[in-house]
Amino acid sequence: MTVLQVRFDLTYLFVSYYLGVVEHLADRVAVIYLGHVVELGEVPDVYGRPLHPYTEALPSAIPTPDPDVRPQRIVLQGSVSPANPSPGCPFQTRCPYVQERCRHEPPPLRASAPGHLIACHRGAELHLAGVESSPAGSGKEQGRLQSIGPLAQNPPLMPERSLNQNE
């Protein structure tokens, strides 16, 4: 997918819960909670400097291949009812930083920095933990080319095929 993306200047809409793949393929990422975009921005910004509490919790759920490494997990408390959402912020029933305003007023998606949007009343005041983004997730073509190996220097063209079923 990355070879084709670079070669043909493609844009993908890629939906996944597996953050490692998202980080590798994406330039920008939208974090969605209960159907609401809660954070949107460049991969290194969202992964390295999350502004929404849900974004902060996501990387801690990624399993590590090393059994001796025990990352600090952020276990979300509270209940969720997608069929009967609470008023206010969609994340407020599970947010460790919830305030009264969050319970009644839905936060708008607004710019907190150039190209970095957040839907959180407290996003500007919270200092959340991020993860170090790998070079593949940097959003830079050079990092991508290095991460996918020699094929990226001269990827083969896909053979043309007719879409006509009668041929």
Side-chain angles (χ1 to χ4, degrees), residues 35-136:
H36 298 269
V37 174
V38 295
E39 190 160 356
L40 174 69
E42 300 291 323
V43 167
D45 294 336
V46 172
Y47 280 49
R49 292 177 299 283
L51 300 174
H52 195 279
Y54 181 62
T55 308
E56 177 187 41
L58 286 175
S60 77
I62 300 171
T64 59
D66 186 345
D68 295 328
V69 174
R70 302 245 181 217
Q72 183 176 355
R73 298 268 323 217
I74 298 173
V75 179
L76 298 174
Q77 304 297 319
S79 62
V80 178
S81 176
N84 188 22
S86 301
C89 176
F91 191 61
Q92 53 107 350
T93 60
R94 304 187 80 195
C95 183
Y97 310 104
V98 67
Q99 291 183 333
E100 193 57 33
R101 178 182 183 191
C102 307
R103 297 186 197 285
H104 305 286
E105 183 183 330
L109 186 64
R110 65 181 184 277
S112 65
H116 198 154
L117 306 176
I118 182 175
C120 180
H121 294 301
R122 301 194 60 202
E125 68 188 66
L126 298 176
H127 300 286
L128 306 176
V131 294
E132 186 175 316
S133 184
S134 71

Side-chain angles (χ1 to χ4, degrees), residues 7 13 16 18 22 33 35 48 50 59 64 69 71 75 87 97 104 107 119 123 128 141 151 156-157:
R7 178 72 175 197
L13 174 60
S16 176
Y18 185 55
V22 172
Y33 183 79
T64 59
V69 174
V75 179
Y97 310 104
H104 305 286
L128 306 176
E141 187 173 296
L151 274 181
L157 291 173

